[in-house]
């Protein structure tokens, strides 16, 4: 876990990592999500490690999206949907990196929203959950491309 991550228990005997994105004091997560995030995102990807970017509508700003390996619903980690800038326009995304190649389940408010989401090593996959976008579309992209 990085300097700003730690585990939280989430009932029913499962816990997961949590990235506050700030100093280790327990500042409310809302403060971190509330601000715009103009900084670049550095992704941990490699031969058998990939990343997944989920594009959402602004209404999901601040919502935590959880991810778990397809065969272990209790091994979840989460990221908040943050406002970032892309081409001078606001984008609302959750970015998961450092994911071992394989299939995953994505959760919103404790409910599985997508199962069998493939993550390929050395690649950045994208899901478009925007209502104006292609619902559930997945676009793999080469790392660095």
């Amino acid at each position: 876990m990085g300097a700003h991550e730690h585990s939280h228990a989430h009932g029913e005997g499962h816990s997961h990592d949590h990235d506050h994105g700030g100093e280790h004091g327990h500042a409310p997560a809302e403060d971190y999500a509330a601000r715009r995030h103009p900084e670049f995102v550095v992704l941990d990807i490699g031969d058998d490690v990939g990343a997944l970017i989920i594009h959402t509508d602004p209404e999901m700003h601040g919502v935590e999206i959880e991810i778990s390996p397809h065969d272990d619903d209790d091994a979840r980690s989460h990221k908040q949907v943050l406002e970032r800038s892309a081409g001078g326009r606001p984008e609302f995304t959750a970015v998961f990196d450092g994911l071992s190649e394989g299939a995953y389940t994505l959760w919103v408010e404790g409910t599985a929203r997508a199962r069998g989401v493939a993550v390929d090593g050395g690649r950045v996959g994208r899901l478009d959950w925007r209502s104006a976008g292609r619902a559930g579309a997945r676009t793999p992209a080469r790392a660095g491309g």
Side-chain angles (χ1 to χ4, degrees), residues 14-141:
H14 91 265
S15 66
H16 59 265
D17 297 336
H18 183 68
D19 182 351
H20 283 282
E23 291 302 315
H24 191 68
H26 283 89
E30 294 78 20
D31 291 344
Y32 181 69
R35 72 172 180 85
R36 186 171 293 160
H37 291 268
E39 62 273 7
F40 290 102
V41 177
V42 178
L43 300 176
D44 176 13
I45 59 175
D47 291 338
D48 58 353
V49 176
L52 181 64
I53 300 173
I54 303 169
H55 297 267
T56 74
D57 288 318
E59 293 77 22
M60 286 192 72
H61 185 210
V63 171
E64 289 183 345
I65 298 175
E66 294 181 295
I67 192 168
S68 65
H70 77 92
D71 59 353
D72 190 354
D73 288 352
D74 290 333
R76 298 183 199 176
S77 64
H78 62 254
K79 299 287 183 171
Q80 283 184 298
V81 174
L82 302 177
E83 181 180 353
R84 303 181 192 284
S85 181
R89 294 184 321 263
E91 290 278 337
F92 296 88
T93 60
V95 179
F96 293 91
D97 69 328
L99 298 173
S100 296
E101 187 171 88
Y104 289 85
T105 300
L106 295 167
W107 305 81
V108 176
E109 297 178 354
T111 301
R113 174 152 178 188
R115 289 192 180 270
V117 175
V119 171
D120 299 322
R123 295 184 179 258
V124 179
R126 298 177 187 272
L127 286 177
D128 191 342
W129 283 3
R130 295 172 289 201
S131 56
R134 299 171 319 272
R138 179 175 181 269
T139 306

